[in-house]
Amino acid sequence: MPIDIATLEERYINSCKKHCVSPNAAILSVLFKAEVKRSCNELCSLEISLDHLKDVEFPPLLDLCMELDASEVEAVDIHNESLHVLNWKYALLLMRAINQKLRVVDLQDLAFGKDFLRDLSQRGLTCQVLNLRSSHFRKLNMMGEFMRLQTLNLDFSTSLTSLQEDCFACMPSLMCLSLCETRILNLWTTVAAFSKLPSLVNLRFQHWSCCNDVGPYSASSSGKFHHKTFSNQRNNGRASSVNIGELTDLYSSTEEVLRNMFLLNNVVINDDESGLEDSDDSDLDFTSPLREHGYMERLSNDFSGGNGQINQQNEDSLDNFQNRNEAEPLAGPFTKYIGDNQVKYISYHASPICFEKYYREYMVASLPRLRILDNLPIRKIDQETARLTFSEYFEHVPYQRKHRENVVSVLQKREIRSSQNPVQSPGKKVSSLYGKSQCFYTRSLSAAKMGSCAWPCLHPLAVSGHDLGGESRSFRPRQFEYHPSNSSLMVFGTLDGEIVAVNHENGKIVSYIPSLGAMNSVLGLCWLKKYPSKLIAGSDNGSLKLYDIHHMRTETGICSGAGSIPFDEFDQLTSVHANSTDELFLASGYSRDVALYDISSGKRLQVFTDMHQEHINVIKFANHSPSVFATSSWDRDVKMWDLRQKPISPCFTSSSSRGNVMVCFSPDDHYLLVSAVDNEVRQLLAVDGRLHLNFEIASTGSSTNYTRSYYMNGRDYIISGSCDEHVVRICCAQTGRRLRDISLEGGGRSRNSIFVQSLRGDPFREFNLSILAAHMRPRSKSEIIKVNLLASSDYAKEHFDGQQACPTNSMGG
């Protein structure tokens, strides 16, 4: 016979006597309420509040919980709402003592601290519902066992910025997940983490509410949402559907929590790929989580006709909502008509990810089992629309591959091709298998590798000062360039006026040129192509010199700079660049003029004045034509010039809507890539300046969000980053489709305020790049972060743990 409630109460009182503690009145009240429920044939459950519990009151409560398995109690809920500091070890012991009867855990971890959160994440819990509002989460990494967890609410965890790769691996039953008002931003890593959840059907990053004639949705300020009791239905041993049963009121005594219910009724998940069927069979029933206020019931009625079924008469109005203007993100208010009535919906507590363009379509297309997103239903027509939008604006796999391939499979196909040498008969075409070039297989291998790495390898370039005659120091990079012919060599200039040539593969310093005279930032660096040991460096004080890193290298790696060749100064310099024959170079800066220098003689040949209406930020020669160059200016114009025409008037002019930060030629000189303030990135035809592609990256509204973009993988992709954001975006240079975003937050060391200062694609390694990152904190250091999109983050942990590197915000490339 199970232990009845009266016996439990008696044993609790006896345990209190044994521990010399007075029985807690709140616990006695909980036991009394449970007895009343049992007598009324209701669900016999305990609701234990940790608020104001003293440490000495935990031992008898633990004794009570040890006996719950053999009692009449069917479920136990644990919650706390105050910030009263508790002994976190007692709290976890209590929850784990309840074991399989633990149903709901509703906590604010401010009352427990980081150690509680670490233990909870690593060991797990047996609860079905976990509501956790945390100020300590930065990277969600819940590796413990949460096998029974069906609902997880992390709303208002405002420090949470990213999800770890396997953070949901131990939650096979999770169906409802809410992440409102977190700081999660990256679509790609977020979806990759969600893909590990086979049962997820309800996801929320914001809450859409009807706001007509009622106050705004504010109930979720507590960070809680309600839940249901879930059951998996089986048909002849096959998983055919998941039905979410009737609502169980687990917090009937708390009106505020009742307003925060996260509901999902009668959702059917089909095995076929079509997913959600059309509404003729009434397979969706969305009921109101806020019935007492009425406005969420209206939202339900808008989609279901008030009877739990999708109302065919409202299909057109719903389509009007789904087929809104594509330029308008689903994050601001929207209005729809129900009959003659205008109903307005507003988003509350939206996370930053909601403001990513096509966020909803990306989520729906990437998570085909999802049935509700942000408390709005997902119908079959919505899934089809999302798939079309995804194919138009995103690349699922690099190089427009339709499906992800296995690396071994690609290698096998390549070997089959190379091992056969077909003889082509007259009038017959060789099979397409043999017509594929080596480039095809190289791209296929890259696509296969990158498709398996949602969390790419990021690690700081570790450059130690021990190579400098035993001197220990760190560097503050401000500009860097890959070597054009040596795949292991990179040079960077610092804010302190130093120039460091380094083997970026092993971190060894090849040559170090200290700052001479006053310390000034190195803003211009350019390797010479025909003379691979030489480079031109320019500082913001106007200093310009030609260095040979081999001739000046000493046993300690330190160069005096005495053998350098100086040029006439160019005041307030920001950019230098040599032409393709290494005969000439140009310098530009905070003026409207451009200076032309002869490299061999060291003389300044000419100054071209008033080339723009405002100062010229960056100047670039073409990669193959020694006389053609382009200038980008804050006057919003990009201009192409030809030295053979004595640059009095440009070959063409192309205007941006904002000031131009960056311009560069594609490796084959076919295109110009132009970056203006706040993510305005365009690709022009170099022959006449016509617009070839607008990458349509969302702006932030900041006038100081300086954007820089470069090519990667030849001219196949572009990488773009801005100094007010911690994201690098990768887009196809032929279609403009977004391939991937790389978030710097959460990678390597703590990067809570890290931003993209500059970036370059690795000219020798596909899908490799480096990022010059900067912190916004005063006197912060800078670092160069290497990114390998073909290797996973586990590779970085295994090979680069313990390496240290160390980020300002000024103009230049």
Side-chain angles (χ1 to χ4, degrees):
M1 292 289 294
I3 302 173
D4 59 27
I5 303 298
T7 304
L8 278 179
E9 181 178 359
E10 181 181 347
R11 293 184 180 181
Y12 170 67
I13 293 173
N14 291 336
S15 180
C16 289
K17 291 178 181 179
K18 182 179 71 172
H19 291 282
C20 301
V21 178
S22 299
N24 186 290
I27 301 301
L28 293 175
S29 174
V30 166
L31 292 170
F32 174 75
K33 291 178 181 179
E35 175 66 20
V36 172
K37 290 179 182 178
R38 186 196 61 79
S39 64
C40 297
N41 294 322
E42 297 178 6
L43 180 70
C44 185
S45 62
L46 303 181
E47 298 178 11
I48 300 176
S49 173
L50 301 181
D51 296 335
H52 310 301
L53 267 179
K54 299 176 182 178
D55 289 350
V56 295
E57 295 175 322
F58 272 98
L61 187 55
L62 283 169
D63 292 342
L64 172 67
C65 292
M66 292 290 187
E67 303 194 44
L68 291 179
D69 277 344
S71 72
E72 294 178 329
V73 176
E74 299 177 64
V76 180
D77 303 333
I78 301 287
H79 63 91
N80 86 301
E81 296 182 0
S82 74
L83 299 182
H84 168 67
V85 178
L86 294 167
N87 187 315
W88 65 271
K89 293 182 180 179
Y90 277 135
L92 281 175
L93 281 174
L94 178 67
M95 287 182 268
R96 286 171 178 145
I98 297 169
N99 201 12
Q100 297 296 311
K101 292 192 176 180
L102 184 64
R103 182 174 55 176
V104 177
V105 175
D106 193 340
L107 304 172
Q108 295 190 51
D109 77 339
L110 286 174
F112 303 98
K114 293 182 179 179
D115 291 335
F116 164 81
L117 187 62
R118 186 179 299 110
D119 191 288
L120 174 68
S121 299
Q122 291 177 355
R123 295 181 56 193
L125 278 179
T126 58
C127 61
Q128 298 179 43
V129 176
L130 177 58
N131 300 329
L132 181 61
R133 180 176 180 177
S134 171
S135 62
H136 299 308
F137 276 130
R138 188 171 301 281
K139 297 179 291 184
L140 186 62
N141 193 18
M142 303 180 75
M143 304 301 295
E145 290 196 6
F146 296 87
M147 304 302 290
R148 299 177 68 240
L149 189 65
Q150 297 171 344
T151 301
L152 176 61
N153 176 8
L154 298 174
D155 287 352
F156 302 95
S157 296
T158 52
S159 295
L160 180 58
T161 60
S162 60
L163 306 176
Q164 294 297 90
E165 185 170 2
D166 296 320
C167 63
F168 298 121
C170 297
M171 301 180 187
S173 302
L174 190 67
M175 303 183 73
C176 295
L177 176 61
S178 188
L179 294 159
C180 294
E181 210 157 296
T182 58
R183 292 177 59 203
I184 293 174
L185 176 65
N186 193 304
L187 284 170
W188 287 262
T189 54
T190 302
V191 163
F194 292 160
S195 66
K196 304 289 181 70
L197 290 170
S199 303
L200 184 66
V201 291
N202 196 341
L203 175 64
R204 188 171 70 180
F205 279 103
Q206 61 187 329
H207 192 106
W208 284 103
S209 291
C210 169
C211 60
N212 288 40
D213 303 323
V214 293
Y217 173 78
S218 59
S220 66
S221 60
S222 67
K224 306 171 186 174
F225 69 101
H226 224 305
H227 47 81
K228 303 186 87 181
T229 301
F230 308 123
S231 62
N232 292 337
Q233 303 293 332
R234 301 284 176 177
N235 182 16
N236 297 327
R238 294 186 300 108
S240 59
S241 65
V242 177
N243 293 323
I244 301 179
E246 296 299 324
L247 170 66
T248 304
D249 181 4
L250 302 180
Y251 292 109
S252 58
S253 62
T254 307
E255 180 180 358
E256 182 181 18
V257 178
L258 283 174
R259 295 197 303 269
N260 285 279
M261 299 173 112
F262 197 41
L263 294 184
L264 179 60
N265 278 341
N266 301 330
V267 174
V268 177
I269 302 176
N270 301 294
D271 289 332
D272 62 280
E273 294 183 357
S274 63
L276 185 63
E277 296 297 334
D278 283 329
S279 55
D280 295 335
D281 297 327
S282 182
D283 50 356
L284 277 183
D285 178 17
F286 298 93
T287 37
S288 168
L290 300 173
R291 287 191 183 278
E292 69 275 26
H293 288 299
Y295 55 88
M296 283 307 297
E297 185 168 8
R298 289 187 221 171
L299 176 62
S300 174
N301 291 338
D302 291 345
F303 289 113
S304 65
N307 59 3
Q309 301 182 11
I310 295 295
N311 191 336
Q312 294 294 328
Q313 294 179 353
N314 290 333
E315 287 283 328
D316 293 338
S317 57
L318 181 56
D319 289 339
N320 290 335
F321 154 63
Q322 297 289 356
N323 297 328
R324 65 195 182 283
N325 187 338
E326 290 180 347
E328 178 186 352
L330 184 54
F334 69 90
T335 302
K336 61 191 293 284
Y337 288 86
I338 308 300
D340 295 329
N341 299 319
Q342 186 183 72
V343 184
K344 185 177 183 180
Y345 297 94
I346 291 183
S347 167
Y348 293 96
H349 309 302
S351 296
I353 197 171
C354 302
F355 297 92
E356 284 292 304
K357 202 168 187 180
Y358 309 115
Y359 144 77
R360 184 174 178 86
E361 291 83 354
Y362 187 94
M363 286 289 181
V364 172
S366 303
L367 301 170
R369 296 184 67 84
L370 206 60
R371 294 298 171 263
I372 296 180
L373 178 59
D374 301 330
N375 68 278
L376 293 178
I378 300 170
R379 305 169 303 150
K380 184 176 181 180
I381 188 174
D382 305 328
Q383 291 179 324
E384 294 172 352
T385 301
R387 281 194 289 268
L388 292 174
T389 301
F390 185 97
S391 64
E392 183 176 357
Y393 296 103
F394 299 95
E395 271 195 7
H396 179 60
V397 181
Y399 292 114
Q400 305 181 45
R401 301 306 198 257
K402 298 299 182 183
H403 306 285
R404 288 177 178 165
E405 290 186 87
N406 185 278
V407 173
V408 175
S409 174
V410 175
L411 290 172
Q412 287 176 339
K413 291 178 181 178
R414 187 179 66 177
E415 292 306 312
I416 291 172
R417 173 186 175 274
S418 61
S419 64
Q420 299 186 28
N421 186 21
V423 177
Q424 184 174 0
S425 300
K428 292 186 178 181
K429 293 183 179 181
V430 179
S431 168
S432 61
L433 173 65
Y434 307 109
K436 293 177 179 176
S437 66
Q438 183 62 36
C439 179
F440 172 85
Y441 289 103
T442 301
R443 290 180 170 182
S444 295
L445 284 170
S446 295
K449 289 179 181 179
M450 187 175 173
S452 62
C453 297
W455 284 262
C457 169
L458 280 73
H459 68 93
L461 173 63
V463 181
S464 60
H466 68 269
D467 293 327
L468 306 177
E471 179 185 359
S472 178
R473 60 167 300 131
S474 59
F475 301 105
R476 300 193 298 162
R478 174 54 188 89
Q479 187 64 279
F480 75 99
E481 294 287 350
Y482 284 100
H483 196 279
S485 58
N486 187 334
S487 63
S488 65
L489 196 58
M490 175 189 289
V491 66
F492 64 85
T494 72
L495 292 167
D496 303 313
E498 305 153 301
I499 298 171
V500 184
V502 60
N503 184 324
H504 63 86
E505 295 176 347
N506 58 24
K508 299 287 185 179
I509 293 177
V510 174
S511 186
Y512 170 70
I513 305 168
S515 174
L516 301 176
M519 293 190 299
N520 293 279
S521 299
V522 177
L523 297 183
L525 286 172
C526 181
W527 290 100
L528 299 189
K529 303 175 185 65
K530 291 187 175 181
Y531 308 97
S533 65
K534 295 182 179 181
L535 62 92
I536 300 170
S539 301
D540 58 3
N541 67 343
S543 172
L544 272 168
K545 290 185 178 181
L546 176 68
Y547 296 99
D548 190 322
I549 63 171
H550 286 176
H551 292 172
M552 298 165 57
R553 184 170 52 196
T554 67
E555 292 182 358
T556 63
I558 303 177
C559 304
S560 66
S564 61
I565 300 176
F567 299 92
D568 291 342
E569 292 186 355
F570 188 92
D571 193 34
Q572 295 183 302
L573 180 145
T574 60
S575 176
V576 298
H577 200 242
N579 69 354
S580 59
T581 59
D582 291 341
E583 296 172 339
L584 307 169
F585 79 87
L586 292 164
S588 66
Y590 283 98
S591 72
R592 297 180 293 181
D593 305 337
V594 169
L596 177 67
Y597 294 83
D598 181 82
I599 295 177
S600 60
S601 67
K603 294 182 179 180
R604 183 165 62 194
L605 301 178
Q606 194 171 354
V607 175
F608 307 116
T609 60
D610 296 326
M611 301 189 81
H612 283 268
Q613 298 301 310
E614 295 187 32
H615 79 258
I616 300 166
N617 187 46
V618 169
I619 188 165
K620 292 289 182 181
F621 267 112
N623 293 302
H624 301 284
S625 176
S627 62
V628 174
F629 65 95
T631 54
S632 65
S633 168
W634 287 106
D635 64 5
R636 304 185 181 186
D637 287 343
V638 167
K639 297 183 180 182
M640 182 81 83
W641 308 85
D642 193 328
L643 291 174
R644 295 168 297 185
Q645 298 177 358
K646 296 182 180 180
I648 300 173
S649 60
C651 303
F652 64 77
T653 300
S654 176
S655 298
S656 305
S657 64
R658 303 175 180 89
N660 291 306
V661 180
M662 186 68 218
V663 64
C664 67
F665 286 84
S666 63
D668 59 1
D669 289 340
H670 194 71
Y671 300 113
L672 275 180
L673 185 62
V674 180
S675 307
V677 171
D678 204 17
N679 294 325
E680 183 181 348
V681 182
R682 301 175 302 129
Q683 185 168 255
L684 311 177
L685 291 175
V687 65
D688 56 11
R690 283 179 297 160
L691 178 66
H692 173 258
L693 200 57
N694 188 338
F695 290 93
E696 298 184 353
I697 300 173
S699 62
T700 65
S702 169
S703 61
T704 59
N705 191 31
Y706 305 135
T707 302
R708 296 170 177 86
S709 305
Y710 282 87
Y711 286 96
M712 182 179 70
N713 295 16
R715 73 171 197 189
D716 295 340
Y717 288 90
I718 66 110
I719 51 176
S720 182
S722 302
C723 67
D724 281 352
E725 300 177 85
H726 62 266
V727 174
V728 172
R729 301 169 176 91
I730 305 173
C731 302
C732 176
Q734 300 307 309
T735 65
R737 289 197 287 241
R738 188 86 65 87
L739 173 65
R740 180 77 50 89
D741 282 2
I742 304 168
S743 176
L744 298 185
E745 294 203 357
R749 302 177 310 161
S750 176
R751 297 192 172 100
N752 56 318
S753 58
I754 196 167
F755 302 92
V756 180
Q757 177 72 54
S758 190
L759 70 172
R760 300 288 189 278
D762 190 320
F764 302 97
R765 300 166 181 87
E766 286 207 335
F767 293 112
N768 277 251
L769 63 144
S770 291
I771 302 165
L772 177 61
H775 292 282
M776 292 300 289
R777 296 190 301 271
R779 299 185 62 82
S780 62
K781 295 182 178 180
S782 52
E783 61 183 338
I784 296 173
I785 300 173
K786 297 185 65 179
V787 182
N788 183 355
L789 292 163
L790 305 183
S792 69
S793 56
D794 292 336
Y795 178 85
K797 294 176 184 176
E798 293 172 5
H799 292 78
F800 305 105
D801 271 358
Q803 289 192 4
Q804 297 295 324
C806 303
T808 254
N809 207 6
S810 56
M811 294 309 301

